[in-house]
Amino acid sequence: MVSSKDVAKYAGVSQTTVSRVLNTPELVKQPTVDKVMKAIQELNYIPNANARSLVQKRTNTIVLLSGPLHNPFFVDTTTAIVNYANTKGYRVNVQFVNDDKLTEAYATAIEQKVDGIILSCILIDDPIFERLESMHLPFITYNRKHKNNRHFVEIDNYKAGYLSAQHLIELGHRNIAWVSGPLTVSTFYNRYHGFLKALEDYNIKIPQQNIIHTDTSKNEVTTAFNDLMSFKSRPTAICAGSDSLALFLMDDAVSIGVKVPEKLSIIGIDNVDISKHAAIRLTTIGSISEENLGYLAIKKLIELIENKKNGCVKITESVKVFNRSTTREI
Amino acid sequence: MVSSKDVAKYAGVSQTTVSRVLNTPELVKQPTVDKVMKAIQELNYIPNANARSLVQKRTNTIVLLSGPLHNPFFVDTTTAIVNYANTKGYRVNVQFVNDDKLTEAYATAIEQKVDGIILSCILIDDPIFERLESMHLPFITYNRKHKNNRHFVEIDNYKAGYLSAQHLIELGHRNIAWVSGPLTVSTFYNRYHGFLKALEDYNIKIPQQNIIHTDTSKNEVTTAFNDLMSFKSRPTAICAGSDSLALFLMDDAVSIGVKVPEKLSIIGIDNVDISKHAAIRLTTIGSISEENLGYLAIKKLIELIENKKNGCVKITESVKVFNRSTTREI
DNA sequence: GACAAAAATGAATACGTAACCATTTTGCAA
DNA sequence: TTGCAAAATGGTTACGTATTCATTTTTGTC
């Protein structure tokens, strides 16, 4: 492997000068720059990023701990994060983590001496949060947040849950169901409580069996859907805790021939890109600005990294209904 | 930052011993191991991966140059690649590249001294191929391949194109269209020629205007679709060059109220996960083994990396029709 | 208890870069 | 020409680890 020393020898200068040519060429006379550049070309020299990171203590690398891509929300955010980071000169080390093997994921992040961490998969109560803070490494959670209420970018989940229920109520639905994910994550927790508040405000009572918290897997959602459809008084509408869940439910509905929205209204939350597609046209709740949460988060993270200030990011985007074709008056 | 030297001092041993405790503990007496581990715990020591990479000349990192995630094919492969690599202890640096800024992407791969490169985005004629080979760095292209016919994992694209046309022909279609991507990539090139061969074998002539090569963007596909639908003798079936294109076309069909498959049959190629979903049920061509191409590729890449042998991977998976619900007898 | 072989440990070094400090060269005014 | 500041360049070191080679300690055998 050809090193800057080899270049130096070949060009007849010191290694220091080679380094300067690459990093601060304005400090080097033009003829010398030319000599060195020629040597670099001819030897096909490429600087070793590891060695540079070792001495500079920055790696131009961030870690992304994302949820799985079969959830379209993470398709959108991963795309936004990776692309933005790359334009800013950062490499992105991507991992798709289940909540359980999260700790493992952090270890590699730290070993690598990455410049920052961006993650969605954090529990409200996650003990990892304090460890992250104590490391003085910039990090941001997107979508979810920790109970400590710091370092996050989210939508107004409470309001989203509220609007979701309100939308259906105002369409005349009374027998509404809630199908969502575990309450151990802030997103579902707040959406659920927003949902409940709307029911309360409109003085609507729904049977307990209409409320189902799944693990967000396709299997459990399908089971939940089939349960709901088996009730004597079937719900006429479902609030899904996320677009991903809503899409699962739409799929289940098609499977057993329940027409959406004719026989069943479904509303999601997140306004993922795919929800706009003509074949889907999912009614959903999303950020008013329509900015991708991943994009907002990575932008802030890179600011934190580059400004070296301990600024504490707390962003909650306002939400509104995106009224498309999967809900209808009863 | 606490280093192995600090641990050594704290534990009263040499830095060498600390290194040994972490890498070859069987060479160290148990009491010493305990002492050192205790020091590691108490000082909260985490080894620096950059320093290790510098001396070992391996980084446990690979670069993935993927196509964009709005193409569901890349959702499947990215998931498979990242997850498999992680279980094998490799970190994955992900980039979503447009064909044009490919060269840039390689540069960072090389700077980082990654252990290998896995990529889909290579043109048949790409000059980068020789440069990659000359670097003696393991790499594999998945999905696409270079004209040099080395280092690839693909499906039998020619056969796929053939089967795609044959399927429609045997359903009685005669006015068949071809909507696909640029012929500069092997995938579309071979699929297209397989398609043509089937028409020839069955002695079917289609008007030139039925053949459209797009840049695979939603916009161009929609334009193509609308063109096709505007012809006096509308095609009764479309062979899409990929599932991604097929899904775009289905979307366009819904938009203007053309029922699939009643009024129009559509068949894709790739058998992406999402094509199985109940709401879609796309008829498509895919690998008989149903193994994810990304998975096959990363498995081979890691073998190459770890065996250090220059084995040249050439895998072409056999294909078959997955007959679902978007094609029908005319 | 002596001795060789094996096991355990340590000292020194290399990896490739950037940064720090020292030295040489240049440019320009006196 | 001299002197002196500024510009240009070079020598040396640190970063944190694994590795190589040397040294010390332990083990087992006669």
Side-chain angles (χ1 to χ4, degrees):
Chain A
M1 188 77 327
V2 34
S3 72
S4 59
K5 254 179 213 160
D6 302 323
V7 174
K9 192 176 296 176
Y10 188 89
V13 299
S14 72
Q15 181 268 327
T16 307
T17 298
V18 175
S19 175
R20 264 194 287 256
V21 167
L22 293 173
N23 298 293
T24 53
E26 67 276 11
L27 297 182
V28 183
K29 262 205 297 191
Q30 194 54 49
T32 313
V33 171
D34 296 341
K35 251 193 319 188
V36 171
M37 289 309 290
K38 183 153 165 282
I40 287 177
Q41 299 285 330
E42 295 184 2
L43 297 183
N44 218 332
Y45 165 71
I46 294 170
N48 183 321
N50 286 308
R52 187 189 306 136
S53 297
L54 187 59
V55 50
Q56 292 197 138
K57 296 178 183 312
R58 68 192 302 268
T59 52
N60 289 314
T61 300
I62 63 161
V63 164
L64 164 58
L65 305 178
S66 170
L69 293 182
H70 60 68
N71 181 338
F73 175 81
F74 292 117
V75 168
D76 300 352
T77 53
T78 299
T79 298
I81 290 167
V82 168
N83 287 340
Y84 183 82
N86 282 346
T87 66
K88 289 291 181 180
Y90 288 83
R91 296 178 279 266
V92 185
N93 178 323
V94 180
Q95 302 185 43
F96 302 114
V97 283
N98 347 18
D99 286 327
D100 44 309
K101 60 161 194 163
L102 196 51
T103 322
E104 199 186 319
Y106 292 115
T108 81
I110 299 164
E111 276 187 7
Q112 283 183 93
K113 298 277 174 292
V114 295
D115 296 338
I117 304 183
I118 180 166
L119 67 153
S120 68
C121 33
I122 192 154
L123 305 177
I124 297 178
D125 249 331
D126 221 315
I128 206 84
F129 191 88
E130 274 87 6
R131 281 186 47 200
L132 276 175
E133 276 193 327
S134 73
M135 284 175 25
H136 304 290
L137 182 63
F139 75 96
I140 283 189
T141 68
Y142 64 99
N143 192 38
R144 301 188 190 173
K145 72 177 176 186
H146 188 263
K147 65 178 177 194
N148 284 8
N149 225 43
R150 290 191 289 272
H151 311 297
F152 62 85
V153 176
E154 59 165 8
I155 59 171
D156 187 337
N157 286 306
Y158 186 85
K159 180 96 177 289
Y162 190 96
L163 289 180
S164 160
Q166 186 180 44
H167 175 77
L168 294 174
I169 293 167
E170 293 186 342
L171 287 174
H173 293 277
R174 291 298 172 266
N175 190 352
I176 299 172
W178 173 258
V179 175
S180 184
L183 296 179
T184 47
V185 313
S186 68
T187 322
F188 295 125
Y189 182 90
N190 292 323
R191 290 172 185 184
Y192 176 56
H193 286 283
F195 167 83
L196 290 183
K197 184 61 163 53
L199 293 187
E200 187 190 323
D201 284 358
Y202 285 85
N203 202 21
I204 290 175
K205 297 248 183 302
I206 59 171
Q208 191 57 39
Q209 60 183 8
N210 273 18
I211 294 173
I212 307 185
H213 300 290
T214 72
D215 63 1
T216 74
S217 74
K218 172 73 174 155
N219 269 349
E220 283 207 7
V221 173
T222 300
T223 305
F225 180 80
N226 291 333
D227 286 353
L228 289 174
M229 291 303 111
S230 71
F231 296 157
K232 227 170 30 218
S233 68
R234 273 190 185 184
T236 61
I238 305 180
C239 285
S242 73
D243 281 358
S244 173
L245 295 169
L247 293 171
F248 281 161
L249 293 167
M250 286 174 64
D251 212 53
D252 293 329
V254 171
S255 297
I256 64 167
V258 172
K259 291 243 166 155
V260 176
E262 290 81 355
K263 294 290 171 191
L264 179 69
S265 287
I266 295 179
I267 184 169
I269 301 177
D270 279 338
N271 192 27
V272 297
D273 286 349
I274 207 180
S275 67
K276 300 167 189 133
H277 272 40
I280 298 178
R281 295 199 40 76
L282 175 66
T283 301
T284 184
I285 317 288
S287 138
I288 290 177
S289 68
E290 297 194 48
E291 293 271 37
N292 181 294
L293 279 190
Y295 172 75
L296 293 175
I298 187 67
K299 231 171 101 177
K300 285 294 173 191
L301 180 65
I302 290 180
E303 272 179 33
L304 284 181
I305 292 172
E306 299 191 342
N307 297 339
K308 296 276 184 208
K309 59 181 175 190
N310 294 7
C312 188
V313 175
K314 304 180 184 193
I315 297 181
T316 303
E317 292 275 294
S318 305
V319 291
K320 68 171 184 182
V321 177
F322 289 80
N323 195 350
R324 294 195 272 251
S325 311
T326 57
T327 56
R328 171 180 290 194
E329 283 186 4
I330 196 166
Chain B
M1 188 76 330
V2 33
S3 73
S4 59
K5 257 180 211 159
D6 302 324
V7 174
K9 194 176 295 175
Y10 190 88
V13 299
S14 71
Q15 182 267 327
T16 308
T17 298
V18 174
S19 176
R20 265 194 284 255
V21 166
L22 292 173
N23 298 292
T24 51
E26 67 276 11
L27 297 181
V28 183
K29 260 205 300 191
Q30 194 53 49
T32 313
V33 171
D34 296 343
K35 254 194 317 191
V36 172
M37 289 308 291
K38 183 154 166 279
I40 287 178
Q41 298 285 331
E42 293 184 3
L43 296 183
N44 217 335
Y45 164 72
I46 295 170
N48 182 322
N50 286 309
R52 186 189 307 136
S53 297
L54 187 59
V55 49
Q56 291 197 139
K57 300 179 180 312
R58 68 193 302 269
T59 52
N60 288 315
T61 301
I62 63 162
V63 164
L64 165 59
L65 306 177
S66 171
L69 293 182
H70 60 68
N71 181 339
F73 175 79
F74 293 117
V75 168
D76 299 351
T77 53
T78 299
T79 298
I81 290 167
V82 168
N83 286 340
Y84 183 81
N86 283 346
T87 65
K88 288 292 180 179
Y90 289 82
R91 297 177 278 267
V92 185
N93 178 322
V94 180
Q95 302 187 42
F96 302 115
V97 284
N98 348 18
D99 285 328
D100 45 309
K101 61 160 193 161
L102 196 52
T103 322
E104 200 186 316
Y106 292 114
T108 79
I110 300 165
E111 276 188 7
Q112 284 183 93
K113 298 279 174 290
V114 296
D115 296 337
I117 303 182
I118 180 165
L119 67 153
S120 67
C121 33
I122 192 154
L123 305 177
I124 295 178
D125 249 331
D126 221 315
I128 206 85
F129 191 89
E130 274 86 8
R131 280 188 45 203
L132 276 175
E133 277 194 325
S134 73
M135 285 175 26
H136 304 291
L137 182 64
F139 75 97
I140 283 190
T141 68
Y142 63 100
N143 193 37
R144 301 187 191 175
K145 70 178 176 185
H146 188 264
K147 64 176 177 193
N148 285 6
N149 224 44
R150 290 191 288 274
H151 311 297
F152 63 84
V153 176
E154 61 166 6
I155 58 170
D156 186 338
N157 286 305
Y158 186 84
K159 180 95 179 286
Y162 191 96
L163 289 180
S164 160
Q166 185 180 43
H167 175 77
L168 294 174
I169 292 168
E170 292 186 341
L171 286 173
H173 293 277
R174 291 299 175 264
N175 191 351
I176 300 172
W178 173 258
V179 176
S180 183
L183 296 181
T184 47
V185 312
S186 67
T187 322
F188 295 125
Y189 183 88
N190 291 323
R191 290 173 184 183
Y192 176 56
H193 286 283
F195 168 81
L196 290 183
K197 184 61 163 55
L199 293 186
E200 188 190 323
D201 284 357
Y202 285 85
N203 203 20
I204 290 174
K205 298 245 182 304
I206 59 170
Q208 192 57 40
Q209 61 182 6
N210 272 20
I211 293 174
I212 307 183
H213 300 290
T214 72
D215 64 1
T216 74
S217 74
K218 172 74 175 157
N219 270 349
E220 284 206 6
V221 173
T222 301
T223 306
F225 180 81
N226 290 335
D227 286 352
L228 289 174
M229 291 302 111
S230 71
F231 296 156
K232 226 171 32 220
S233 68
R234 272 190 185 185
T236 61
I238 304 180
C239 284
S242 72
D243 281 358
S244 173
L245 296 169
L247 294 170
F248 281 161
L249 292 168
M250 285 174 66
D251 213 52
D252 293 330
V254 171
S255 298
I256 64 168
V258 171
K259 291 244 168 155
V260 176
E262 289 81 354
K263 294 290 170 193
L264 179 69
S265 286
I266 295 180
I267 185 169
I269 301 177
D270 278 339
N271 192 27
V272 298
D273 285 350
I274 207 180
S275 67
K276 300 167 189 134
H277 271 41
I280 298 178
R281 295 198 40 76
L282 174 67
T283 300
T284 185
I285 316 288
S287 138
I288 290 178
S289 68
E290 298 192 48
E291 293 272 35
N292 181 293
L293 279 190
Y295 171 75
L296 293 175
I298 187 66
K299 230 170 102 176
K300 284 295 173 188
L301 181 65
I302 290 180
E303 271 179 33
L304 284 181
I305 292 172
E306 301 192 341
N307 297 340
K308 296 279 184 207
K309 57 179 174 189
N310 294 5
C312 187
V313 176
K314 305 180 184 193
I315 297 181
T316 303
E317 290 275 295
S318 306
V319 291
K320 66 172 184 181
V321 177
F322 289 81
N323 195 352
R324 293 196 270 253
S325 310
T326 58
T327 55
R328 171 181 291 195
E329 283 188 6
I330 197 167

Coordinates of all heavy atoms in Angstrom, one line a residue, chain B residues 99-100 102 120-127 143-148 178 180-193 213-216:
Chain B
D99 N -26.1 6.5 -10.9 CA -25.1 5.9 -11.7 C -24.0 6.9 -11.9 O -22.8 6.6 -12.1 CB -25.6 5.4 -13.1 CG -26.4 4.1 -12.9 OD1 -26.0 3.3 -12.0 OD2 -27.4 3.9 -13.6
D100 N -24.3 8.2 -12.0 CA -23.3 9.2 -12.4 C -22.3 9.5 -11.3 O -21.1 9.7 -11.6 CB -24.0 10.5 -12.8 CG -25.1 10.9 -11.9 OD1 -26.0 10.0 -11.6 OD2 -25.1 12.1 -11.4
L102 N -20.9 7.6 -9.2 CA -20.4 6.3 -8.7 C -18.9 6.4 -8.3 O -18.5 6.0 -7.3 CB -20.6 5.3 -9.8 CG -20.5 3.8 -9.5 CD1 -21.4 3.5 -8.3 CD2 -20.8 3.0 -10.6
S120 N -24.7 -2.8 -6.8 CA -25.6 -3.2 -7.8 C -25.4 -2.3 -9.0 O -25.6 -2.7 -10.1 CB -27.0 -3.1 -7.3 OG -27.3 -1.8 -7.1
C121 N -25.0 -1.1 -8.8 CA -25.0 -0.1 -9.8 C -23.8 -0.1 -10.7 O -22.9 0.8 -10.5 CB -25.2 1.3 -9.1 SG -24.3 1.3 -7.5
I122 N -23.7 -1.0 -11.6 CA -22.6 -1.0 -12.5 C -23.1 -1.1 -13.9 O -24.1 -1.9 -14.1 CB -21.6 -2.1 -12.2 CG1 -20.3 -1.9 -12.9 CG2 -22.2 -3.5 -12.5 CD1 -19.1 -2.5 -12.3
L123 N -22.6 -0.4 -14.8 CA -23.0 -0.5 -16.2 C -22.3 -1.6 -16.9 O -21.2 -2.0 -16.5 CB -22.7 0.9 -16.9 CG -23.3 2.1 -16.2 CD1 -22.9 3.3 -16.9 CD2 -24.8 1.9 -16.1
I124 N -22.9 -2.1 -18.0 CA -22.3 -3.2 -18.7 C -20.8 -2.8 -19.1 O -19.9 -3.6 -19.1 CB -23.1 -3.5 -20.0 CG1 -24.5 -4.0 -19.6 CG2 -22.3 -4.5 -20.9 CD1 -25.3 -4.2 -20.8
D125 N -20.7 -1.5 -19.4 CA -19.4 -1.0 -20.0 C -18.6 -0.2 -19.0 O -17.7 0.5 -19.4 CB -19.8 -0.1 -21.2 CG -19.4 -0.7 -22.5 OD1 -18.5 -1.5 -22.5 OD2 -20.1 -0.4 -23.5
D126 N -18.9 -0.3 -17.8 CA -18.3 0.6 -16.8 C -16.8 0.5 -16.7 O -16.2 -0.6 -16.5 CB -18.9 0.3 -15.4 CG -19.2 1.5 -14.7 OD1 -18.3 2.4 -14.7 OD2 -20.3 1.6 -14.1
P127 N -16.1 1.6 -17.0 CA -14.6 1.6 -16.9 C -14.2 1.3 -15.4 O -13.0 0.9 -15.2 CB -14.2 2.9 -17.4 CG -15.4 3.8 -17.2 CD -16.6 2.9 -17.3
N143 N -27.4 -8.3 -8.9 CA -28.4 -7.9 -9.8 C -27.8 -7.6 -11.2 O -28.2 -8.2 -12.2 CB -29.2 -6.7 -9.3 CG -30.4 -6.4 -10.1 OD1 -31.1 -7.3 -10.5 ND2 -30.7 -5.1 -10.3
R144 N -26.9 -6.6 -11.3 CA -26.3 -6.3 -12.6 C -25.0 -7.0 -12.7 O -24.4 -7.3 -11.7 CB -26.1 -4.8 -12.7 CG -27.4 -4.0 -12.6 CD -27.1 -2.6 -12.9 NE -28.2 -1.7 -12.5 CZ -28.1 -0.3 -12.6 NH1 -26.9 0.2 -13.0 NH2 -29.1 0.4 -12.3
K145 N -24.5 -7.0 -13.9 CA -23.1 -7.5 -14.1 C -22.4 -6.7 -15.2 O -23.1 -6.1 -16.0 CB -23.1 -9.0 -14.4 CG -23.6 -9.5 -15.7 CD -23.4 -11.0 -15.9 CE -24.0 -11.5 -17.2 NZ -24.0 -12.9 -17.3
H146 N -21.1 -6.9 -15.2 CA -20.3 -6.1 -16.2 C -20.0 -7.1 -17.4 O -20.1 -8.3 -17.2 CB -19.0 -5.7 -15.5 CG -18.1 -4.9 -16.3 ND1 -17.1 -5.3 -17.1 CD2 -18.1 -3.5 -16.5 CE1 -16.5 -4.3 -17.7 NE2 -17.1 -3.2 -17.4
K147 N -19.7 -6.5 -18.5 CA -19.5 -7.3 -19.7 C -18.3 -8.3 -19.5 O -18.3 -9.3 -20.1 CB -19.2 -6.4 -20.9 CG -17.9 -5.6 -20.8 CD -17.6 -4.8 -22.0 CE -16.4 -3.9 -21.7 NZ -16.2 -2.9 -22.7
N148 N -17.4 -8.0 -18.6 CA -16.3 -8.9 -18.3 C -16.7 -10.2 -17.7 O -16.0 -11.2 -17.6 CB -15.2 -8.2 -17.4 CG -14.4 -7.2 -18.2 OD1 -14.7 -6.9 -19.4 ND2 -13.4 -6.7 -17.6
W178 N -43.6 -3.6 -23.9 CA -42.4 -3.7 -23.1 C -42.0 -2.4 -22.5 O -41.7 -1.4 -23.3 CB -41.2 -4.3 -24.0 CG -39.9 -4.3 -23.2 CD1 -38.9 -3.4 -23.4 CD2 -39.4 -5.3 -22.3 NE1 -37.8 -3.8 -22.6 CE2 -38.1 -5.0 -21.9 CE3 -40.0 -6.5 -21.8 CZ2 -37.4 -5.7 -21.0 CZ3 -39.3 -7.2 -20.9 CH2 -38.0 -6.9 -20.5
S180 N -39.4 -0.7 -19.8 CA -38.2 -1.2 -19.0 C -37.3 0.0 -18.8 O -37.6 1.2 -19.0 CB -37.6 -2.3 -19.8 OG -36.5 -2.8 -19.1
G181 N -36.1 -0.4 -18.4 CA -35.0 0.6 -18.1 C -34.0 0.7 -19.2 O -34.1 0.0 -20.2
P182 N -32.9 1.4 -19.0 CA -31.9 1.6 -20.0 C -31.1 0.3 -20.4 O -30.9 -0.5 -19.5 CB -30.9 2.6 -19.4 CG -31.3 2.6 -17.9 CD -32.7 2.2 -17.8
L183 N -30.8 0.2 -21.6 CA -30.1 -1.0 -22.1 C -28.6 -1.0 -21.7 O -27.9 -1.9 -22.0 CB -30.3 -1.1 -23.6 CG -31.7 -1.4 -24.0 CD1 -31.8 -1.5 -25.6 CD2 -32.3 -2.6 -23.4
T184 N -28.2 0.1 -21.1 CA -26.8 0.2 -20.6 C -26.5 -0.7 -19.4 O -25.4 -0.8 -19.0 CB -26.4 1.6 -20.3 OG1 -27.4 2.2 -19.5 CG2 -26.3 2.4 -21.6
V185 N -27.6 -1.2 -18.8 CA -27.4 -2.1 -17.6 C -27.7 -3.5 -18.0 O -28.7 -3.7 -18.8 CB -28.1 -1.6 -16.4 CG1 -27.9 -0.1 -16.1 CG2 -29.6 -1.9 -16.4
S186 N -27.0 -4.4 -17.6 CA -27.1 -5.8 -18.0 C -28.5 -6.4 -17.8 O -29.0 -7.1 -18.6 CB -26.1 -6.7 -17.3 OG -26.4 -6.8 -15.9
T187 N -29.0 -6.0 -16.6 CA -30.3 -6.6 -16.3 C -31.4 -6.3 -17.3 O -32.0 -7.2 -17.9 CB -30.8 -5.9 -15.0 OG1 -29.7 -5.7 -14.1 CG2 -31.8 -6.7 -14.3
F188 N -31.6 -5.0 -17.7 CA -32.6 -4.7 -18.7 C -32.2 -5.2 -20.1 O -33.0 -5.7 -20.8 CB -32.8 -3.2 -18.7 CG -33.4 -2.7 -17.4 CD1 -32.8 -1.7 -16.7 CD2 -34.6 -3.2 -16.9 CE1 -33.3 -1.2 -15.5 CE2 -35.1 -2.8 -15.7 CZ -34.5 -1.8 -15.0
Y189 N -30.9 -5.1 -20.3 CA -30.4 -5.6 -21.6 C -30.8 -7.1 -21.9 O -31.4 -7.4 -22.9 CB -28.9 -5.4 -21.7 CG -28.3 -5.8 -23.1 CD1 -28.2 -4.9 -24.1 CD2 -27.9 -7.1 -23.3 CE1 -27.7 -5.2 -25.3 CE2 -27.3 -7.5 -24.5 CZ -27.2 -6.5 -25.5 OH -26.7 -6.9 -26.8
N190 N -30.5 -7.9 -20.9 CA -30.7 -9.3 -21.1 C -32.2 -9.7 -21.0 O -32.7 -10.5 -21.8 CB -29.9 -10.1 -20.1 CG -28.4 -10.0 -20.4 OD1 -28.0 -10.0 -21.5 ND2 -27.6 -10.0 -19.3
R191 N -32.9 -9.0 -20.1 CA -34.4 -9.2 -20.1 C -35.0 -8.9 -21.4 O -35.9 -9.6 -21.9 CB -34.9 -8.4 -18.9 CG -34.5 -8.9 -17.6 CD -35.0 -8.1 -16.4 NE -34.4 -8.6 -15.1 CZ -34.6 -8.1 -13.9 NH1 -35.4 -7.0 -13.8 NH2 -34.1 -8.7 -12.9
Y192 N -34.6 -7.8 -21.9 CA -35.2 -7.3 -23.2 C -34.9 -8.3 -24.3 O -35.9 -8.6 -25.1 CB -34.6 -5.9 -23.5 CG -35.0 -5.4 -24.9 CD1 -36.4 -5.2 -25.1 CD2 -34.1 -5.0 -25.8 CE1 -36.8 -4.7 -26.4 CE2 -34.5 -4.5 -27.1 CZ -35.9 -4.3 -27.3 OH -36.3 -3.8 -28.5
H193 N -33.7 -8.8 -24.4 CA -33.4 -9.7 -25.5 C -34.1 -11.1 -25.3 O -34.5 -11.7 -26.2 CB -31.9 -9.8 -25.6 CG -31.3 -8.6 -26.3 ND1 -31.4 -8.4 -27.6 CD2 -30.7 -7.5 -25.8 CE1 -30.9 -7.2 -27.9 NE2 -30.4 -6.7 -26.8
H213 N -38.1 2.2 -23.5 CA -37.1 2.1 -22.5 C -37.0 3.5 -21.7 O -36.7 4.5 -22.3 CB -35.7 1.9 -23.1 CG -35.6 0.6 -23.9 ND1 -35.6 -0.6 -23.3 CD2 -35.6 0.4 -25.3 CE1 -35.6 -1.5 -24.2 NE2 -35.6 -1.0 -25.4
T214 N -37.3 3.4 -20.4 CA -37.4 4.6 -19.6 C -36.1 4.7 -18.8 O -35.2 3.8 -18.9 CB -38.5 4.6 -18.6 OG1 -38.2 3.6 -17.6 CG2 -39.8 4.1 -19.3
D215 N -36.0 5.8 -18.0 CA -34.8 5.9 -17.1 C -35.2 5.3 -15.7 O -34.5 5.5 -14.8 CB -34.4 7.3 -17.0 CG -35.4 8.2 -16.4 OD1 -36.5 7.7 -16.0 OD2 -35.2 9.4 -16.3
T216 N -36.3 4.6 -15.7 CA -36.9 4.0 -14.5 C -37.5 4.9 -13.5 O -38.0 4.5 -12.4 CB -35.9 3.1 -13.7 OG1 -35.0 3.9 -13.0 CG2 -35.1 2.1 -14.7

